[in-house]
Amino acid sequence: MRVHDISGATETIEAAPAKINLALHVTGQRADGYHLLETLVAFTEAGDVIRIREADADSFSISGPFGDLLRAGDGGDNLVTRARDLLRDALVSTGQPARPVAIHLEKNLPVASGIGGGSADAAATLRGLLRHWHASIDPQRLASLALTLGADVPMCLESRSLVARGIGENIEAVTDLPELFLVLANPLKAVSTPEIFRRLQTKNNPPLPERTSGRWMDFLGQSRNDLQPPAQVLLPEIGEIVELLSQEGATPVRMSGSGATCFGIFHSVEAAHKAEMSLRESRPGWYFQATRTI
């Protein structure tokens, strides 16, 4: 959406929803080292926010509860500024102007936590800039550009329920996934994605199970996250989170992505908020967020 501040300057606001891997199966590995995946993904109301304004020169700034973990100033190698520069180059090559902008990132999600924070920010930057610049780009070229920013960026560009295959670029929309009430939980400790994949004992695991129409909870019960066992060895707090969410009544409970964020599904939004408050009391130094899928 667009809003106007009191000075009359136009600001473009774009949500960057958290990406939740409801299931993640590692089904193989390519010759170049990239792992092949099949993953069911949903997006939540919880997320970061991108704000874009006109400026005399490009700038990038960060705020929010996790903003201090990222480098502000010119953005350095931040995915937001990389997305800005790649999109500008693509638009200019087709004769479309791409004026300087001030981009502000409100960082509400933990950094490097398996819920697509950086990828979601990059995707939101692409969507927001296209609206802000009143620009257009061939969808295939945009998808290719997104993939150069990271394997998760194309699915975050969609920001809707989907199944992704390959390294994340083969996307199939899911139209009948019901609204889910979740609590996201993270111990605010880093876990190394390359190390998790290195410790993965089997690279050729079974794909996502077949699904009977409407039987999503059965589907989730039969699926898994193949990265969870090695991640839990590296960071035992993941196991503790799973136990805590289960004690609050969540089912199923699972890690998202390569961690360390886990999610628990609750039967109602009230139950999710009640669990969030209880968990915050028991582990005040950790991240807990009740939310729902979009």
Side-chain angles (χ1 to χ4, degrees):
M1 64 177 176
R2 287 183 183 273
V3 297
H4 294 268
D5 68 10
I6 58 175
S7 67
T10 300
E11 181 179 65
T12 300
I13 301 175
E14 187 73 29
K19 172 193 65 68
I20 308 300
N21 297 95
L22 296 173
L24 195 164
H25 294 204
V26 180
T27 58
Q29 188 173 16
R30 301 193 318 194
D32 60 6
Y34 279 97
H35 289 83
L36 300 174
L37 311 172
E38 288 195 7
T39 179
L40 171 65
V41 173
F43 293 84
T44 73
E45 290 181 347
D48 298 337
V49 181
I50 292 288
R51 292 182 167 85
I52 304 169
R53 292 178 179 239
E54 295 295 304
D56 294 329
D58 284 334
S59 66
F60 176 59
S61 58
I62 308 175
S63 66
F66 297 101
D68 59 345
L69 299 180
L70 296 176
R71 194 173 124 206
D74 64 359
D77 194 36
N78 188 279
L79 280 172
V80 169
T81 57
R82 289 175 59 195
R84 175 200 65 199
D85 296 343
L86 283 172
L87 181 60
R88 174 179 282 133
D89 289 345
L91 294 176
V92 169
S93 72
T94 62
Q96 299 181 76
R99 307 175 302 278
V101 286
I103 301 178
H104 181 80
L105 167 61
E106 181 184 308
K107 192 65 186 168
N108 300 314
L109 299 177
V111 177
S113 59
I115 50 178
S119 297
D121 298 339
T125 300
L126 295 174
R127 292 193 305 267
L129 284 173
L130 284 171
R131 291 194 296 112
H132 190 84
W133 284 331
H134 302 287
S136 61
I137 186 172
D138 177 77
Q140 289 299 321
R141 187 172 184 187
L142 180 61
S144 177
L145 187 154
L147 188 59
T148 66
L149 291 164
D152 284 353
V153 180
M155 62 185 85
C156 289
L157 195 61
E158 296 286 333
S159 282
R160 57 177 176 167
S161 301
L162 56 87
V163 170
R165 296 180 174 88
I167 63 171
E169 82 283 14
N170 297 327
I171 293 172
E172 174 190 344
V174 171
T175 58
D176 62 337
L177 185 70
E179 181 180 47
L180 301 175
F181 307 107
L182 312 173
V183 172
L184 309 181
N186 188 295
L188 300 183
K189 290 186 177 181
V191 59
S192 168
T193 298
E195 182 65 14
I196 288 171
F197 275 105
R198 191 185 71 80
R199 288 173 176 253
L200 188 63
Q201 293 185 351
T202 305
K203 305 295 180 73
N204 297 290
N205 298 291
L208 292 173
E210 294 293 326
R211 181 178 62 86
T212 303
S213 180
R215 303 291 294 271
W216 279 109
M217 298 314 290
D218 289 344
F219 176 89
L220 290 176
Q222 297 166 15
S223 61
R224 60 192 187 272
N225 182 344
D226 288 328
L227 302 182
Q228 185 170 334
Q232 195 164 315
V233 171
L234 285 172
L235 188 65
E237 285 88 342
I238 292 172
E240 186 177 352
I241 283 178
V242 169
E243 180 64 25
L244 288 170
L245 286 167
S246 298
Q247 289 173 0
E248 293 293 334
T251 182
V253 177
R254 187 166 292 157
M255 188 181 81
S256 177
S258 58
T261 302
C262 297
F263 64 88
I265 299 179
F266 290 83
H267 63 83
S268 68
V269 65
E270 292 81 12
H273 282 289
K274 181 180 178 182
E276 177 196 0
M277 290 187 291
S278 174
L279 291 164
R280 284 181 183 271
E281 289 180 2
S282 65
R283 298 294 187 277
W286 291 9
Y287 167 85
F288 298 102
Q289 178 67 59
T291 187
R292 66 178 79 195
T293 55
I294 55 175

